[in-house]
RNA sequence: GCGGAUGUGGCGAAAUUGGCAGACGCGCCAGACUUAGGAUCUGGUUCCGAAAGGAGUGGGGGUUCGAGUCCCUUCAUCCGCACCA
């Protein structure tokens, strides 16, 4: 082969040239294109696709992408057929808010941002198969989002089958048996017989079916954000403010589309057993789903036919229930109020209603109102007063509680405030019998023995719960019940830039569009605002009707709709006839490795699981869980720099001298600071107010800046753009450095100071392939044992570490390898090393691979095979310790037995010093680990 | 309040099952080569101590021949949920 040796002069590591050359080569040769290949095992590596925001990527964004890219490339080397796609979550509020302000169509903003993202991503050299790119705002894509939504509309959840089932089967059951034979998840329940069903008109039947559909319309309390003009799902609201924009959110009763995700609550919990997810995410989702076991119990109301149902997890404490509380929004609140209290009750309800979430959270003062009515405790038969209070939430359980002040802290506070009786029913273990009147807090624990509790006296709490539930069910005053905190997800948004909901109204009754009418494309409108009548923006569209003239739904879908099933679409992105073909989904199954941020734990990651389980029920996907292994990359924090202005002057004092003055700490742009040394000229030019700045420098004549770790943000002037790093050091350096920073899951600060190390490493690696005349040179000489040992040690460590996603230590072992190889230029060592480097630094690896005389891509080479024959040692360097402290080391043959080791160690010169004048108590020898001599 | 995670040099960090604490990199110090160094190379770099040696993984206690790792306790920081009956 002639092209083995290139005698080019001055073969410096020119990363810019190399980068452009190979990115072009990969693009033109479609190096990363992937198709179904049954001769190879599949592997699916997915990144959470980005929302293309106007700000572009900062160095934190690619962290997960680099990790997944390394893993994908590694899997390819290992012989897997790897699906590694990328796309854009392109519907969303920011582009629409921008449209409202500027009139620019969100589609234009989004397209522009996508271009920018693509450029930035391309710069880093990812191995995505771009032929599979998807965008959630593309009608060809959202056709299938709409299609799934229609399926949700057309299915209900059957508790007997424990899966989704077509709604027509529900109709058949109603037709034949009425409601009695149906065990399904529903919102409002209505009992009827088959005859009654048969007599109902179409509209009535549809109303009933709506209570069962998995996408359903319901009058419910929702999070309403007036500023955004839309409702929001629970995960889109934090502390009473919208996540997007940070505007206040109110509660409002509205008719809304919802997804019946609660039907899947138990399966969402059960699924954790089959997937490999980080513990914290499982924990967060488990809390969000919030399963609790207890009972619902009916309380009769004195002098009335009404009954009120409460939910409790502590039915054992029912003998201590001394009052009852209803949520203000409870349908019975006003109804049960006695005439003399009606006005006050009504006032309280009004007051509670007008209180914002924020107010409610800020002040936790006890408030409530007596209704004048009494309930009857079914066990004590005592009359207990009924209150309304806003500490009871309408959205949880039944919106009513039996209050047991002795054993619930909130009830306790309420009872003290309103002077209500407190009866202790659980005896603390080892109690010193303080009378209840003297308690300063309730006793909420489930440890103890029941007292004052009639039939369950003397039982342990656990047994008492079991016994009392049996009793409750026997006397038909209630039943065992599992409750979930998870709420159904509000699915409509009164906004423009989202998928239109494929529903039309015929005589006010919602119907789904047929598949032929999909996609229902987003119409053009004159303004991106609600109509004067307060209708959502889509109501502005001309002819927002079906072909036969029926009005279409004007709400659009929320952000999570498009991202809930996108991983399926990558498997078969151009299929016009199906969401995904059977062939594709039966080959790719589900995502093997999913990398993304933890902030999606209660949003996307739960919706996607629900979505997938639903499709699984329909038989469309073979796996019940979408993401087999999940990894959360940690956040990259910013490293801010500061200058110190002497108060009231324009003089700035260096960090180590600042304590001598009274100073103001000011953020300074990290781009005019190098290794914490401020560039004075650039600083003067940075902002007009600093033009005439004076400096007090340190002894070295430099201005040292202070620094702090903060969130990366524009206002802190600490945003690091990946493009700048790529420009200055190259993509490979960026990739290596980001991975070398620390464990992938851990949050870590970005520190540009360290990047030189990664750059130097690549330069050193490059130099291995060149002789001292700077000519590319590989020797065909046989490697010696030491060189083989270095190589194979590295193969083992790098492979093991990549499998564990421990990229930081993998790189560290590559660094050690390059350091140890020193001037070795043997092909049999450097070519395998080049392949080991390729996932991390693909550009430089590809260049060197081709310089070495190959015509094919390094990315397609098989991973070097580890041979432990090369790493075998016949001696082990034992640490010899006395009383647990290592004093010296000794090379010993690994085949020696403990007796022999003991003999050698005790006779060693060095040992004498530590043994002399002391008694040897014990000698511990752990082969291939340590020798420890205990002396006294 | 409840739940979770994390505490190791000046900095980012490493350390199979308990077995040489600080690998690797940054920074710093010294030297070499240089007109120059913000290039490159060599050596050093946990702290105290001249050395011998001693101390040391947030603090205190325990188990063990031996603890960053296991147990108890305590403190700090970060994150999630938050009137969920």
């Amino acid at each position: 082969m002639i092209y083995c040796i290139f005698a080019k002069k001055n073969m410096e590591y020119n990363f810019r040239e190399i980068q452009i050359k190979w990115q072009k080569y990969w693009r033109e040769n479609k190096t990363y294109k992937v198709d179904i290949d049954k001769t190879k095992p599949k592997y699916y590596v997915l990144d959470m696709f980005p929302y293309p925001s106007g700000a572009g990527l900062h160095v934190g964004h690619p962290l997960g992408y680099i990790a997944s890219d390394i893993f994908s490339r590694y899997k390819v080397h290992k012989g897997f057929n790897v699906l590694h796609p990328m796309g854009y979550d392109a519907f969303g509020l920011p582009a629409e808010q921008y449209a409202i302000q500027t009139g620019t169509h969100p589609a234009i903003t989004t397209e522009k941002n996508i271009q920018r993202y693509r450029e930035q991503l391309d710069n880093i050299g990812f191995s995505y198969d771009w032929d599979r790119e998807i965008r959630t705002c593309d009608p060809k894509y959202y056709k299938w989002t709409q299609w799934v939504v229609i399926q949700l509309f057309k299915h209900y959840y059957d508790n007997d089958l424990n899966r989704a089932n077509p709604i027509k089967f529900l109709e058949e059951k109603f037709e034949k048996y009425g409601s009695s034979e149906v065990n399904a998840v529903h919102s409002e329940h209505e009992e009827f017989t088959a005859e009654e069903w048969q007599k109902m008109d179409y509209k009535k039947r549809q109303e009933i079916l709506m209570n069962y559909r998995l996408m359903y319309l319901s009058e419910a309390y929702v999070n309403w954000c007036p500023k955004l003009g839309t409702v929001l799902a629970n995960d889109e609201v934090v502390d009473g403010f919208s996540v997007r924009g940070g505007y206040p959110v109110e509660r409002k009763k509205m008719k809304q589309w919802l997804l019946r995700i609660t039907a899947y609550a138990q399966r969402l919990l059960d699924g954790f057993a089959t997937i490999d997810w980080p513990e914290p995410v499982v924990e967060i989702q488990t809390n969000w789903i919030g399963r609790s076991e207890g009972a619902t119990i009916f309380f009769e109301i004195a002098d009335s036919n009404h009954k009120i149902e409460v939910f409790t997890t502590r039915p054992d404490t029912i003998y201590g229930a001394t009052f009852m509380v209803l949520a203000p929004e409870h349908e019975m609140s006003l109804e049960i109020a006695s005439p003399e209290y009606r006005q006050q009750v009504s006032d309280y309800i009004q007051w509670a209603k007008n209180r914002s979430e924020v107010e409610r959270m800020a002040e936790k003062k006890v408030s409530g109102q007596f209704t004048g009515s009494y309930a009857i405790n079914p066990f004590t038969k005592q009359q207990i007063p009924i209150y309304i209070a806003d500490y009871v939430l309408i959205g949880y359980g039944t919106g009513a509680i039996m209050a047991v002040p002795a054993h619930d802290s909130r009830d306790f506070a309420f009872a003290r405030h309103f002077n209500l009786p407190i009866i202790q029913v659980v005896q603390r273990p080892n109690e010193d019998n303080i009378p209840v009147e003297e308690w300063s807090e309730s006793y909420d624990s489930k440890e103890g023995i029941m007292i004052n509790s009639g039939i369950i006296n003397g039982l342990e709490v656990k047994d008492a719960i079991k016994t009392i539930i049996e009793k409750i069910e026997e006397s038909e005053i209630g039943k065992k019940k599992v409750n979930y905190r998870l709420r159904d997800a509000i699915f409509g948004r009164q906004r423009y830039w989202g998928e239109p909901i494929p529903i039309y109204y015929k005589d006010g009754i919602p119907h789904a569009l047929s598949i032929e009418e999909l996609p229902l494309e987003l119409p053009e409108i004159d303004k991106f605002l609600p109509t004067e009548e307060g209708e959502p923006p889509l109501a502005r569209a001309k002819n927002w009707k079906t072909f036969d003239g029926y009005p279409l739904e004007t709400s659009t879908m929320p952000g999570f709709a498009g991202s809930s099933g996108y991983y399926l679409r990558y498997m078969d992105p151009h299929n016009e006839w199906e969401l995904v073909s059977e062939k594709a989904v039966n080959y790719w199954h589900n995502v093997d490795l999913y990398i993304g941020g933890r902030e999606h734990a209660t949003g996307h990651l739960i919706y996607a699981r629900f979505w997938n389980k639903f499709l699984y029920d329909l038989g469309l996907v073979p796996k019940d869980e979408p993401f087999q292994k999940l990894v959360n990359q940690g956040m990259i924090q910013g490293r801010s720099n500061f200058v110190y202005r002497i108060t009231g002057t324009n003089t700035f004092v260096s960090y180590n001298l600042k304590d001598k003055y009274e100073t103001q700490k000011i953020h300074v742009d990290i781009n005019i600071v190098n290794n914490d040394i401020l560039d004075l000229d650039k600083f003067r030019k940075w902002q007009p107010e600093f033009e005439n700045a004076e400096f007090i420098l340190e002894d070295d004549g430099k201005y040292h800046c202070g620094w702090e770790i903060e969130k990366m943000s524009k206002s802190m002037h600490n945003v690091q753009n990946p493009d700048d790093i790529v420009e200055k050091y190259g993509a490979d350096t960026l990739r290596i450095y980001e991975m070398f920073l620390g464990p992938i899951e851990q949050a870590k600060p970005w520190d540009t100071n360290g990047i030189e190390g990664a750059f130097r490493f690549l330069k050193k690696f490059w130099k291995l392939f060149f002789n001292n005349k700077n000519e590319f040179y590989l020797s065909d000489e046989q490697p010696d044992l030491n060189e083989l040992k270095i190589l194979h040690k590295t193969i083992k460590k790098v492979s093991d570490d990549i499998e564990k996603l421990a990229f930081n230590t993998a790189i560290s072992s590559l660094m050690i390898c390059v350091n140890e190889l020193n001037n070795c230029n043997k092909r049999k060592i450097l070519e395998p090393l080049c392949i080991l480097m390729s996932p991390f630094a693909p550009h430089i690896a590809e260049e060197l691979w081709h310089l070495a005389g190959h015509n094919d891509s390094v990315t397609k080479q098989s991973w070097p095979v580890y041979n432990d024959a090369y790493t075998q040692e016949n001696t082990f360097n034992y640490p010899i310790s006395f009383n647990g402290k290592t004093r010296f080391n000794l090379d010993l043959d690994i085949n020696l037995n403990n007796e022999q080791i003991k003999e050698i160690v005790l006779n060693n010169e060095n040992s004498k010093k530590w043994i002399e004048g002391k008694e040897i108590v014990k000698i511990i020898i752990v082969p291939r680990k340590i020798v420890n001599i205990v002396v006294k």
Side-chain angles (χ1 to χ4, degrees):
Chain A
M1 290 279 147
I2 225 157
Y3 29 71
C4 276
I5 292 161
F6 286 77
K8 274 195 199 168
K9 286 246 161 72
N10 292 321
M11 281 298 283
E12 289 295 313
Y13 169 40
N14 187 339
F15 58 84
R16 279 192 199 93
E17 233 169 66
I18 292 171
Q19 215 162 286
I20 292 166
K21 176 172 158 195
W22 295 110
Q23 284 176 3
K24 183 163 172 258
Y25 172 94
W26 295 329
R27 197 165 48 241
E28 285 172 356
N29 289 279
K30 295 216 181 269
T31 304
Y32 303 121
K33 189 165 170 52
V34 58
D35 286 305
I36 291 175
D37 177 354
K38 294 213 166 125
T39 66
K40 287 182 181 172
K42 71 96 187 185
Y43 202 88
Y44 187 174
V45 182
L46 185 63
D47 294 299
M48 289 185 187
F49 63 167
Y51 173 78
S53 84
L57 296 170
H58 67 59
V59 289
H61 296 113
L63 185 76
Y65 303 160
I66 295 170
S68 67
D69 196 59
I70 290 168
F71 200 76
S72 305
R73 288 171 179 274
Y74 168 75
K75 279 290 184 184
V76 171
H77 287 299
K78 290 291 264 185
F80 286 82
N81 192 29
V82 177
L83 178 56
H84 187 218
M86 184 46 102
Y88 305 96
D89 189 12
F91 274 132
L93 280 176
E96 186 170 355
Q97 291 295 82
Y98 185 72
I100 292 168
Q101 287 162 22
T102 64
T104 310
H105 197 287
I108 294 169
T109 313
T110 304
E111 176 64 35
K112 205 179 97 200
N113 291 347
I114 287 178
Q115 295 303 332
R116 170 99 182 98
Y117 265 62
R118 178 64 192 271
E119 264 171 45
Q120 289 190 296
L121 291 171
D122 280 349
N123 256 336
I124 302 171
F126 292 122
S127 61
Y128 295 124
D129 177 0
W130 283 107
D131 288 353
R132 292 175 182 262
E133 178 195 306
I134 56 168
R135 301 174 181 192
T136 55
C137 65
D138 180 350
K140 290 198 198 86
Y141 176 86
Y142 68 66
K143 172 178 181 177
W144 297 104
T145 309
Q146 290 173 332
W147 182 82
V148 174
V149 162
I150 289 172
Q151 303 315 308
L152 285 161
F153 180 76
K154 289 184 170 171
H155 284 76
Y156 74 103
Y157 199 88
D158 192 307
N159 281 331
D160 291 333
L161 302 171
N162 202 20
R163 62 170 171 79
N165 213 29
I167 200 100
K168 66 173 187 224
F169 292 128
L170 185 66
E171 285 181 83
E172 281 171 18
K173 278 196 183 175
F174 285 156
E175 186 79 27
K176 279 194 203 146
Y177 315 108
S179 61
S180 61
E181 288 297 302
V182 170
N183 180 11
V185 183
H186 54 81
S187 1
E188 278 160 50
H189 190 59
E190 201 173 321
E191 296 273 345
F192 50 85
T193 62
E195 291 78 45
E196 283 168 326
W197 171 264
Q198 288 155 19
K199 280 184 207 145
M200 284 176 202
D201 62 13
Y202 182 74
K203 189 168 182 182
K204 178 70 192 163
R205 288 184 187 184
Q206 289 304 316
E207 270 169 25
I208 288 170
L209 290 177
M210 189 57 91
N211 287 326
Y212 291 84
R213 296 181 189 275
L214 290 177
M215 181 179 80
Y216 65 102
L217 202 50
S218 166
E219 184 92 18
Y221 282 94
V222 297
N223 307 302
W224 171 256
C225 180
K227 192 86 190 191
L228 291 172
T230 184
V231 298
L232 296 168
N234 287 349
D235 66 285
E236 295 170 319
V237 183
V238 171
D239 295 335
F241 292 91
S242 65
V243 172
R244 287 277 188 203
Y247 304 114
V249 172
E250 318 173 335
R251 276 149 26 85
K252 191 172 168 185
K253 203 164 189 180
M254 276 179 82
K255 204 156 205 188
Q256 275 305 313
W257 285 104
L258 291 108
L259 295 187
R260 207 178 296 284
I261 187 171
T262 50
Y264 285 83
Q266 191 56 48
R267 278 172 63 189
L268 287 167
L269 288 175
D270 296 341
F272 290 133
T274 65
I275 53 182
D276 179 12
W277 279 28
E279 198 51 48
V281 178
V282 173
E283 198 70 35
I284 290 168
Q285 285 203 356
T286 304
N287 290 341
W288 188 261
I289 296 165
R291 180 190 157 103
S292 54
E293 291 177 26
T296 55
I297 307 164
F298 281 101
F299 280 61
E300 287 178 17
I301 295 175
D303 312 316
S304 153
N305 301 326
H306 290 304
K307 285 179 181 175
I308 292 177
E309 191 180 24
V310 302
F311 172 73
T312 176
T313 54
R314 294 294 301 277
D316 55 309
T317 61
I318 193 161
Y319 285 88
T322 52
F323 58 102
M324 175 185 264
V325 188
L326 308 187
E329 302 90 342
H330 196 281
E331 51 181 10
M332 308 274 269
S333 286
L334 194 56
E335 205 172 314
I336 58 162
S338 68
E340 60 269 45
Y341 282 96
R342 185 157 294 233
Q343 189 55 47
Q344 288 163 46
V345 168
S346 166
D347 289 348
Y348 184 82
I349 293 172
Q350 207 52 41
W351 173 81
K353 199 172 161 183
N354 291 333
R355 263 180 116 198
S356 71
E357 283 295 295
V358 184
E359 280 172 331
R360 254 175 80 126
M361 283 177 198
E363 35 168 323
K364 292 192 179 172
K365 273 191 220 142
V366 176
S367 79
Q369 174 60 48
F370 180 45
T371 60
S373 293
Y374 293 84
I376 297 161
N377 183 319
F379 283 83
T380 64
K381 305 293 178 199
Q382 296 283 320
Q383 292 209 354
I384 58 173
I386 304 175
Y387 280 73
I388 55 169
D390 68 355
Y391 82 91
V392 175
L393 306 174
I394 187 64
Y396 186 76
T398 61
I401 61 157
M402 63 175 210
V404 184
H407 306 290
D408 181 286
S409 56
R410 297 147 306 177
D411 299 345
F412 184 83
F414 195 84
R416 278 286 160 84
H417 188 262
F418 287 98
N419 259 320
L420 295 162
I422 300 174
I423 299 171
Q424 181 184 10
V425 291
V426 182
Q427 173 109 36
R428 293 173 208 243
N430 323 314
E431 190 189 355
D432 22 347
N433 266 328
I434 307 166
V436 114
E437 297 73 40
E438 290 167 30
W439 288 11
S440 60
E441 55 181 15
S442 57
Y443 178 65
D444 295 7
S445 163
K446 284 190 183 177
E447 300 283 311
I449 303 225
M450 304 311 301
I451 53 169
N452 303 327
S453 290
I455 53 164
I456 49 173
N457 266 336
L459 293 179
E460 289 277 349
V461 169
K462 234 196 264 159
D463 303 325
I465 291 176
K466 236 173 112 186
T467 310
I468 200 85
I469 289 178
E470 277 164 24
K471 190 76 195 167
I472 287 166
E473 292 192 330
E474 216 177 279
S475 47
E476 296 186 338
I477 53 167
K479 54 178 187 261
K480 190 171 175 170
K481 170 93 200 248
V482 175
N483 221 337
Y484 299 92
R485 234 158 72 186
L486 185 69
R487 301 269 68 96
D488 280 342
I490 296 160
F491 198 62
R493 296 290 180 276
Q494 290 63 49
R495 301 286 300 199
Y496 174 72
W497 191 234
E499 301 88 342
I501 296 176
I503 294 285
Y504 66 93
Y505 294 86
K506 199 165 161 182
D507 304 325
I509 302 164
H511 290 78
L513 292 177
S514 66
I515 184 163
E516 293 77 27
E517 293 167 275
L518 300 184
L520 173 61
E521 291 200 33
L522 201 53
E524 290 306 319
I525 55 176
D526 54 348
K527 256 201 245 172
F528 303 99
L529 288 170
T531 63
E532 278 64 43
E533 295 78 37
E535 291 285 302
L538 289 197
R540 291 178 174 274
K542 287 186 194 118
N543 269 324
W544 191 234
K545 291 175 187 147
T546 60
F547 295 120
D548 27 8
Y550 296 107
L552 287 159
E553 169 64 47
T554 53
S555 299
T556 53
M557 298 185 206
F560 66 79
S563 59
S564 288
Y566 75 113
Y567 51 92
L568 292 168
R569 196 61 189 160
Y570 281 131
M571 297 173 183
D572 195 9
H574 309 296
N575 192 333
E576 288 179 38
W577 311 106
E578 299 155 286
L579 167 66
V580 55
S581 73
E582 222 178 301
K583 186 180 161 207
V585 81
N586 283 333
Y587 179 75
W588 296 112
H589 287 202
N590 59 356
V591 176
D592 294 286
L593 175 64
Y594 194 29
I595 298 187
R598 183 167 303 171
E599 66 274 18
H600 298 105
T602 54
H604 161 63
L605 285 172
I606 219 164
Y607 295 123
R609 293 181 65 213
F610 156 70
W611 202 269
N612 190 81
K613 283 174 192 295
F614 171 67
L615 295 174
Y616 175 79
D617 286 352
L618 267 53
L620 294 170
V621 301
K623 298 275 178 156
D624 178 54
E625 287 284 344
F627 313 123
Q628 206 53 45
K629 182 180 170 77
L630 174 72
V631 170
N632 295 124
Q633 87 275 26
M635 229 201 307
I636 291 204
Q637 298 144 311
R639 188 180 187 279
S640 310
N641 276 117
F642 298 95
V643 292
Y644 302 87
R645 177 161 64 189
I646 298 174
T647 312
T649 71
N650 206 13
T651 301
F652 295 82
V653 55
S654 187
Y655 178 76
N656 293 303
L657 304 171
K658 72 176 183 353
D659 293 342
K660 296 180 185 163
Y661 305 87
E662 194 184 307
T663 57
Q664 253 178 305
K665 190 165 85 174
I666 300 170
H667 275 99
V668 60
D669 188 345
I670 55 163
N671 292 304
I672 60 173
V673 178
N674 198 350
N675 283 358
D676 293 336
I677 307 293
L678 182 67
D679 185 319
L680 303 182
D681 289 338
K682 283 185 185 163
F683 180 72
R684 288 200 182 95
K685 284 177 201 147
W686 181 44
Q687 279 176 14
E689 54 171 318
F690 302 138
E691 203 180 333
N692 301 312
E694 305 276 334
F695 302 95
I696 299 175
L697 306 176
E698 283 177 40
D699 296 345
D700 58 4
K702 290 171 180 169
Y703 189 99
H704 294 251
C705 296
W707 60 272
E708 243 168 68
I709 302 303
E710 297 176 303
K711 207 181 148 192
M712 202 172 271
S713 93
K714 237 176 169 173
S715 61
M716 317 263 196
H717 300 290
N718 62 3
V719 175
Q720 182 73 59
N721 184 321
D723 303 350
D724 296 343
I725 303 291
V726 169
E727 174 57 30
K728 201 164 166 197
Y729 299 101
D732 288 335
T733 299
L734 175 73
R735 293 168 62 104
I736 294 269
Y737 184 56
E738 289 219 9
M739 290 300 103
F740 187 62
L741 227 38
I744 183 79
E745 300 216 286
Q746 193 175 301
K748 53 219 163 238
W750 175 263
D751 182 354
T752 309
N753 297 345
I755 201 157
E756 295 280 350
F759 189 50
R760 262 173 229 157
F761 162 59
L762 287 179
K763 282 192 284 190
K764 266 192 220 168
F765 171 62
W766 175 263
K767 272 175 107 175
L768 283 178
F769 293 76
F770 290 82
N771 64 18
N772 49 18
K773 284 182 238 147
N774 238 339
E775 295 159 341
F776 186 87
Y777 177 71
L778 281 187
S779 138
D780 285 318
E781 215 182 311
Q782 285 302 317
D784 63 32
L785 281 175
N786 184 46
E787 288 162 343
L788 285 167
K789 187 174 131 192
I790 294 168
L791 175 68
H792 282 265
K793 191 177 75 180
T794 308
I795 294 172
K796 169 119 176 71
K797 177 78 175 144
V798 172
S799 312
D800 289 354
D801 283 352
I802 294 179
E803 296 279 358
K804 288 188 292 189
L805 305 177
F807 303 119
N808 55 332
T809 48
I811 290 168
S812 133
S813 65
L814 286 166
M815 286 174 170
I816 293 169
C817 178
V818 169
N819 288 344
E820 287 182 347
L821 282 177
N822 219 354
N823 286 321
C824 167
N825 52 13
K826 293 172 188 165
R827 181 181 294 275
K828 288 207 166 129
I829 298 293
L830 295 189
E831 284 193 348
L833 179 61
C834 193
I835 298 168
L836 294 182
M837 282 290 287
S838 161
F840 300 91
H843 307 88
I844 193 173
E846 192 76 288
E847 174 73 10
L848 291 169
W849 185 254
H850 282 255
L851 284 176
H854 300 280
N855 284 322
D856 50 354
S857 170
V858 69
T859 63
K860 306 283 185 194
Q861 306 307 313
S862 321
W863 196 247
V865 178
Y866 168 65
N867 182 346
D868 69 353
Y870 295 121
T871 56
Q872 292 292 326
E873 303 265 4
N874 37 27
T875 65
F876 180 81
N877 188 252
Y878 278 92
I880 311 299
S881 54
F882 297 83
N883 290 342
K885 284 186 179 153
T886 306
R887 296 302 177 179
F888 60 93
N889 287 58
L890 219 49
D891 268 324
L892 298 176
D893 196 296
I894 53 165
N895 296 315
L896 293 176
N897 63 32
N898 286 6
E899 254 333 285
Q900 293 167 308
I901 292 175
K902 182 173 160 186
E903 177 141 358
I904 295 171
V905 170
L906 289 181
N907 290 323
N908 188 281
E909 263 314 296
N910 287 317
S911 300
K912 302 235 163 83
K913 178 174 164 193
W914 302 99
I915 301 169
E916 227 161 51
K918 289 178 180 146
E919 180 198 342
I920 295 173
V921 183
K922 204 173 179 184
I923 300 181
I924 290 114
I925 297 168
V926 186
R928 304 252 228 157
K929 281 264 155 70
I930 201 167
V931 176
N932 188 20
I933 298 154
V934 186
V935 294
K936 213 161 53 178

